[in-house]
Amino acid sequence: MANGHPSFLALLFPPPALGSYRTLKMESDEPDGHSLSRRAEWCDVTPLPQDDGPNPVVPIAYKEEFRETMDYFRAIYQADERSPRAFRLTRQAIVANPGNYTVWHFRRLLLQTLNVDLYEELDFLQQIANSNSKNYQLWHHRRWVVERLGIDARAKELQLTKKILSLDAKNYHAWSHRQWVLQALGGWEDELDYCQQLLEEDIFNNSAWNQRYFVITRSPFLGGLKAMRESEVRYTVEAILAKPENESPWRYLRGLYKDNIEVWVNDPQISLVCLKVMNAKSNYVFALSMLLDLLCHGFQPSEEFRDAVDALWTSDNHPLDSDLAKAVCCILEHVDSLRASYWRWRKCKLPLAA
Amino acid sequence: MESFPSLTVTQRDQILVEQQVFNIYKAFYDMPPSSQSLMLELQRENHVEYLTNGLKHLGPSFCVLDANRPWLCYWIIHSIALMDEFLDPELEDNTIDFLSRCQDPNGGYGGGPGQMPHVATTYAAVNSLVTLGGDKALCSINREKLYTFLRRMKDPNGAFRMHDDGEIDVRACYTAISVASLLNILDDDLVQDVGNYILSCQTYEGGIAGEPGSEAHGGYTFCGLATMILINEVDRLDLSSLIDWVVFRQGVEAGFQGRTNKLVDGCYSFWQGGVFALLKRLQSTKGEQSVPMGDGEDSGAGSPQTTASSDATGAEGLNEDSSQAGSHFEQGEPHDASCPVVVENIDHNSSKRRAKVEPLFNCLALQQYILLCAQEPGGGLRDKPGKSRDHYHTCYCLSGLSVCQHSWSEDEDSPPLPSAILGSYSNLLEPIHPLYNVVLDRYQEAHEFFSRS
């Protein structure tokens, strides 16, 4: 026995780096309040201080508890000790600094070696999720765990991301995770409805629009972009007309015709929504912008478009250009003056009038 | 006008920020010119003091950045270099020594001594050392080992992982390729299929996402575009839709948002603003047939919170129709007219020259946001009024400010015209190399150094 300890202590002090532990249950691991250095469990381990050197820069004034946790972690990590106590220590280190990707990585090695119940791991992640919902390492770890659990974990993941999104409907990591779950494990059936619901709550939620695009293009139940286009155009046009200042549906509308410019240019619904918004004379920047794009791609406007554009120009001093695209650029230069430089550039780039 | 209760979360959040920002602009507008000059001053001394203090000492709450210390070095050292200040030789030496302790024997740099190497912290460490410059700093980088580390991080699909069994995303691709390029160890094996991955991350909006399918985001758009330029595959992107997306990320507050319909944040001054610096550089290297900044003959276009390795809560960040004063045409937009963007447009004589050089974004407006809204009076810069300063935002607000100031310059040798600088000319920062975000002459020294070997 190492260190000459009597053999009955072997159960309390499992020697390091044995790989033979079976399905290890997580004991509730509330710290007993004593620092690691005073706990019998750790008495055989020499903590390893950080090799900061004599004059480190960006030195952090670690609290004693933090320093100690990390000193013991370093020792365990360097020794590659795959034990239950090492596993418990990684939790402590993660709670102290959830950004320490080395600890997370080592925890994954331990999960494998110790064959820990991965559903319990999900519970652990759940406990720290709310205060760490924007932490890359946590989400990556979760993905790793769920990958190993497979389809049985799917419902829980969709539920978790939904909950996080109910608190912050644009959490980038939550959306990313949700997308990964759908692609890896399925569950697409209710996703379009979910997007719908989020958009009803907040039509300006661009993440929800992005998710909608994700669903209609990738869901195995929906037949793909072309099949969905007609109904989606109707939905999007309605959203635009309700709030023409909302950029999201405009970009979404354009996205519905990705790789299908010809169809986009010739679809009367597209030019019609631009016309309607221009005629309403309110919040028409995106309408003008889309009209400009249409014209650049060969759209042949009827007189109505010319009339609508002219109606937006109120200066008597400078008549509008006879070329409609140039005229649109001029108006945009003035009504969207923050982007005047961009509109000047667009005007420069226009093909010469026939 | 909507009745108040029916505002969505997006609208409500946006209005609150607009109110804060417009209060600042209105107060500025109403001030006498002498006070205005003061308000527009870049508080160099205060910023340098804040930064240098951080380099020497950080409080206990920074333990959440204990795996990001090379980032702290880079944010601080780069910011100081932008202001054309220098570190004490002792601090420089200490930095070089510290970063060496973060270097893994098998290549790459971790977030602190003894931590696993990580592609993003490697980027931060290398950029820090390049910024410090000199043989000692540059020689301390073990390039051979670093190359093997990058090869190990390469995923079969072409992208890069952040660390062993780490996450894959566009940031990892950028930090890996950027480092390889800077150190002159970029080869076909590293470049292979990266372009395909990034291309798959350009969204229907035109911007670039972190992973295929995710939302277009300023941080990833910068990373994706820079990477494509570095591997010489930028023409594969839909540049006109990328440009269109980015220009609309500048809002009435004059700063940039990271994503459509999200809030302005000072750090996007660089991630989004920097896109224009990248595009401008493209045009000058490719000549007439290239994309942006056209004169009439151009045929047209032939997209992070952050690149920190973790998005720390509590400390630093990672992990988105205005009435202009002086405009006399009817706006037509029912917008709050009491929110003037105070800067006047630049008046240049030759419209052809202007067309050739004029930046596509409103760089005076962005400077206005940075100087009036992002600066903390006591030193340091921040996301937006009401948020605390931090080193990350200090770095990227200042980097964005530099991009703005130099965005009219035709070439690297000519200093910017005073009309390009908001506030006094003493606000002028050093120019950066937009692909790497290091100060240009430090880049040049490193480039020469690593070309030799």
Side-chain angles (χ1 to χ4, degrees):
Chain A
M1 181 92 254
N3 302 327
H5 287 158
S7 56
F8 73 89
L9 288 173
L11 292 172
L12 294 173
F13 297 89
L18 282 188
S20 61
Y21 295 94
R22 298 296 170 85
T23 314
L24 213 72
K25 281 292 185 184
M26 284 287 301
E27 53 188 77
S28 90
D29 51 10
E30 283 317 299
D32 61 5
H34 295 146
S35 77
L36 293 165
S37 63
R38 299 221 302 273
R39 284 195 231 163
E41 185 193 9
W42 289 99
C43 72
D44 62 305
V45 172
T46 310
L48 187 56
Q50 181 164 257
D51 180 25
D52 246 1
N55 298 301
V57 291
V58 295
I60 298 169
Y62 306 116
K63 290 205 172 113
E64 202 36 54
E65 200 184 311
F66 182 92
R67 181 191 305 278
E68 190 185 63
T69 301
M70 293 314 298
D71 285 351
Y72 277 88
F73 172 77
R74 269 182 284 271
I76 293 306
Y77 180 63
Q78 200 185 68
D80 197 14
E81 178 182 313
R82 310 276 182 102
S83 68
R85 71 175 178 182
F87 186 65
R88 287 192 294 277
L89 186 59
T90 60
R91 172 196 271 251
Q92 204 170 313
I94 283 167
V95 168
N97 174 18
N100 194 317
Y101 57 90
T102 302
V103 177
W104 283 105
H105 169 75
F106 191 61
R107 190 175 172 91
R108 286 190 280 280
L109 297 178
L110 286 162
L111 283 170
Q112 293 177 283
T113 309
L114 301 177
N115 205 15
V116 174
D117 181 338
L118 292 180
Y119 282 100
E120 303 218 353
E121 186 66 359
L122 288 184
D123 286 341
F124 162 61
L125 290 170
Q126 180 82 28
Q127 285 167 37
I128 66 170
N130 283 343
S131 48
N132 293 288
S133 67
K134 297 195 177 177
N135 173 296
Y136 279 100
Q137 288 73 38
L138 182 146
W139 288 104
H140 174 66
H141 189 82
R142 199 168 180 104
R143 207 184 275 205
W144 185 92
V145 171
V146 170
E147 209 163 35
R148 276 146 188 80
L149 287 174
I151 197 166
D152 290 337
R154 178 177 92 193
K156 204 180 167 90
E157 296 311 290
L158 293 177
Q159 193 183 46
L160 169 76
T161 48
K162 196 178 258 208
K163 176 160 166 282
I164 302 259
L165 291 168
S166 72
L167 300 170
D168 173 5
K170 302 182 184 183
N171 183 316
Y172 203 84
H173 301 274
W175 279 118
S176 203
H177 187 72
R178 195 174 174 88
Q179 288 192 345
W180 174 81
V181 169
L182 288 167
Q183 292 207 271
L185 305 174
W188 296 90
E189 297 85 342
D190 302 321
E191 199 62 13
L192 190 57
D193 283 344
Y194 178 54
C195 291
Q196 182 96 352
Q197 177 209 320
L198 287 176
L199 289 172
E200 270 163 36
E201 288 167 14
D202 185 353
I203 196 68
F204 294 88
N205 183 344
N206 196 66
S207 306
W209 283 102
N210 183 75
Q211 184 72 350
R212 196 176 178 110
Y213 195 84
F214 180 78
V215 172
I216 63 160
T217 50
R218 300 183 194 223
S219 168
F221 293 98
L222 292 178
L225 183 55
K226 286 194 175 132
M228 293 296 291
R229 185 178 289 147
E230 197 180 313
S231 56
E232 287 301 296
V233 168
R234 263 183 274 123
Y235 177 82
T236 309
V237 164
E238 197 184 313
I240 287 173
L241 293 174
K243 290 268 188 290
E245 74 273 28
N246 184 2
E247 188 175 341
S248 297
W250 289 100
R251 294 210 179 265
Y252 187 81
L253 185 65
R254 182 65 195 268
L256 291 174
Y257 295 84
K258 200 164 166 19
D259 305 326
N260 259 155
I261 298 214
E262 281 298 302
V263 178
W264 171 70
V265 172
N266 295 309
D267 189 335
Q269 291 172 100
I270 305 297
S271 48
L272 184 61
V273 70
C274 297
L275 188 61
K276 282 186 177 171
V277 173
M278 288 190 293
N279 283 334
K281 298 203 178 142
S282 169
N283 296 313
Y284 48 79
V285 167
F286 296 118
L288 283 173
S289 179
M290 183 160 282
L291 177 60
L292 178 62
D293 288 340
L294 287 167
L295 293 168
C296 288
H297 285 94
F299 174 64
Q300 302 296 317
S302 64
E303 266 312 294
E304 299 176 281
F305 288 90
R306 181 79 231 188
D307 293 340
V309 167
D310 284 340
L312 297 176
W313 187 251
T314 56
S315 165
D316 297 322
N317 300 335
H318 300 89
L320 267 185
D321 205 296
S322 55
D323 176 72
L324 187 59
K326 288 211 168 102
V328 169
C329 289
C330 280
I331 299 182
L332 283 166
E333 235 183 281
H334 289 98
V335 302
D336 189 26
S337 48
L338 182 70
R339 269 168 282 280
S341 166
Y342 175 64
W343 300 121
R344 276 192 287 272
W345 176 66
R346 292 292 303 271
K347 187 160 68 173
C348 274
K349 273 205 329 162
L350 289 172
L352 295 166
Chain B
M1 197 56 193
E2 296 295 321
S3 58
F4 198 76
S6 70
L7 286 182
T8 71
V9 170
T10 299
Q11 287 175 304
R12 190 196 65 215
D13 288 349
Q14 174 63 22
I15 283 172
L16 288 172
V17 171
E18 277 181 26
Q19 279 172 352
Q20 278 213 289
V21 167
F22 296 154
N23 284 341
I24 291 173
Y25 292 158
K26 177 135 199 336
F28 176 84
Y29 198 63
D30 291 338
M31 280 176 189
S34 54
S35 305
Q36 290 187 335
S37 301
L38 263 165
M39 291 299 298
L40 286 177
E41 207 179 290
L42 180 67
Q43 300 290 320
R44 285 170 178 273
E45 292 78 26
N46 288 344
H47 296 323
V48 171
E49 193 185 326
Y50 167 67
L51 291 159
T52 324
N53 285 346
L55 201 55
K56 296 181 190 164
H57 172 83
L58 296 165
S61 64
F62 279 85
C63 65
V64 294
L65 286 176
D66 191 37
N68 297 65
R69 289 171 67 198
W71 276 113
L72 285 159
C73 289
Y74 166 66
W75 295 329
I76 290 169
I77 289 171
H78 175 59
S79 298
I80 290 174
L82 282 171
M83 290 185 282
D84 203 18
E85 294 285 334
F86 292 88
L87 293 184
D88 285 341
E90 202 187 314
L91 265 181
E92 273 202 25
D93 268 347
N94 293 342
T95 304
I96 297 168
D97 178 74
F98 171 72
L99 290 173
S100 307
R101 291 167 195 274
C102 296
Q103 190 166 205
D104 189 88
N106 293 319
Y109 292 79
Q115 297 179 32
M116 281 168 64
H118 187 294
V119 167
T121 47
T122 299
Y123 167 90
V126 167
N127 273 11
S128 300
L129 292 164
V130 163
T131 305
L132 291 176
D135 275 4
K136 185 164 179 224
L138 300 178
C139 288
S140 72
I141 305 171
N142 187 331
R143 290 155 79 219
E144 289 77 29
K145 290 286 189 189
L146 209 158
Y147 177 79
T148 61
F149 167 62
L150 293 177
R151 286 290 299 270
R152 203 166 78 239
M153 295 304 103
K154 179 93 174 162
D155 188 81
N157 77 356
F160 285 83
R161 283 184 189 283
M162 280 296 191
H163 55 83
D164 283 321
D165 109 301
E167 69 269 25
I168 291 177
D169 65 24
V170 166
R171 270 180 326 154
C173 296
Y174 167 68
T175 47
I177 296 290
S178 172
V179 162
S181 167
L182 201 44
L183 300 179
N184 193 21
I185 54 176
L186 190 61
D187 68 10
D188 290 338
D189 288 327
L190 287 175
V191 165
Q192 179 108 4
D193 292 329
V194 171
N196 291 342
Y197 179 76
I198 293 177
L199 205 56
S200 74
C201 293
Q202 183 171 24
T203 82
Y204 68 89
E205 288 195 82
I208 298 175
E211 295 177 86
S214 294
E215 199 181 349
H217 180 294
Y220 297 118
T221 299
F222 173 84
C223 290
L225 181 63
T227 308
M228 292 300 264
I229 295 173
L230 285 167
I231 65 174
N232 201 22
E233 292 183 35
V234 69
D235 292 328
R236 298 178 67 193
L237 288 168
D238 182 346
L239 284 174
S240 51
S241 78
L242 192 151
I243 293 168
D244 193 79
W245 179 81
V246 184
V247 298
F248 273 95
R249 304 292 48 84
Q250 189 168 23
V252 294
E253 311 91 335
F256 276 96
Q257 64 190 181
R259 299 181 252 166
T260 305
N261 283 335
K262 286 212 76 182
L263 300 174
V264 67
D265 180 335
C267 70
Y268 293 112
S269 307
F270 177 73
W271 301 122
Q272 306 280 31
V275 164
F276 300 101
L278 290 175
L279 295 169
K280 184 176 89 152
R281 166 167 273 275
L282 258 188
Q283 193 241 354
S284 57
T285 54
K286 286 186 165 192
E288 281 300 319
Q289 73 251 51
S290 168
V291 177
M293 330 310 292
D295 51 16
E297 290 95 71
D298 272 3
S299 56
S303 202
Q305 316 131 342
T306 78
T307 57
S309 62
S310 75
D311 189 351
T313 52
E316 326 220 332
L318 220 221
N319 64 16
E320 330 181 28
D321 283 39
S322 81
S323 307
Q324 277 208 3
S327 173
H328 56 279
F329 294 94
E330 181 166 77
Q331 300 298 306
E333 308 296 301
H335 194 87
D336 183 357
S338 66
C339 57
V341 173
V342 296
V343 294
E344 304 283 313
N345 285 327
I346 294 177
D347 181 32
H348 285 268
N349 296 328
S350 160
S351 64
K352 187 163 164 119
R353 177 186 174 275
R354 172 160 81 169
K356 233 192 171 84
V357 179
E358 183 179 29
L360 293 181
F361 72 113
N362 194 324
C363 47
L364 283 179
L366 182 57
Q367 291 181 64
Q368 179 181 308
Y369 180 81
I370 295 169
L371 294 169
L372 295 181
C373 296
Q375 283 198 101
E376 267 228 1
L381 292 99
R382 62 199 175 193
D383 164 348
K384 54 170 73 62
K387 293 278 174 84
S388 308
R389 68 185 178 180
D390 58 49
H391 304 98
Y392 164 82
H393 282 94
T394 302
C395 170
Y396 289 106
C397 284
L398 290 176
S399 301
L401 185 58
S402 169
V403 163
C404 289
Q405 293 172 339
H406 296 271
S407 57
W408 281 88
S409 302
E410 293 200 43
D411 56 66
E412 293 150 13
D413 296 321
S414 50
L417 293 173
S419 53
I421 313 297
L422 187 62
S424 106
Y425 202 76
S426 63
N427 281 354
L428 183 64
L429 297 174
E430 292 298 289
I432 57 159
H433 190 307
L435 283 168
Y436 312 100
N437 197 14
V438 295
V439 166
L440 195 55
D441 51 26
R442 315 293 168 99
Y443 159 78
Q444 271 151 2
E445 187 200 329
H447 179 69
E448 269 169 58
F449 182 91
F450 293 117
S451 304
R452 281 184 245 137
S453 31

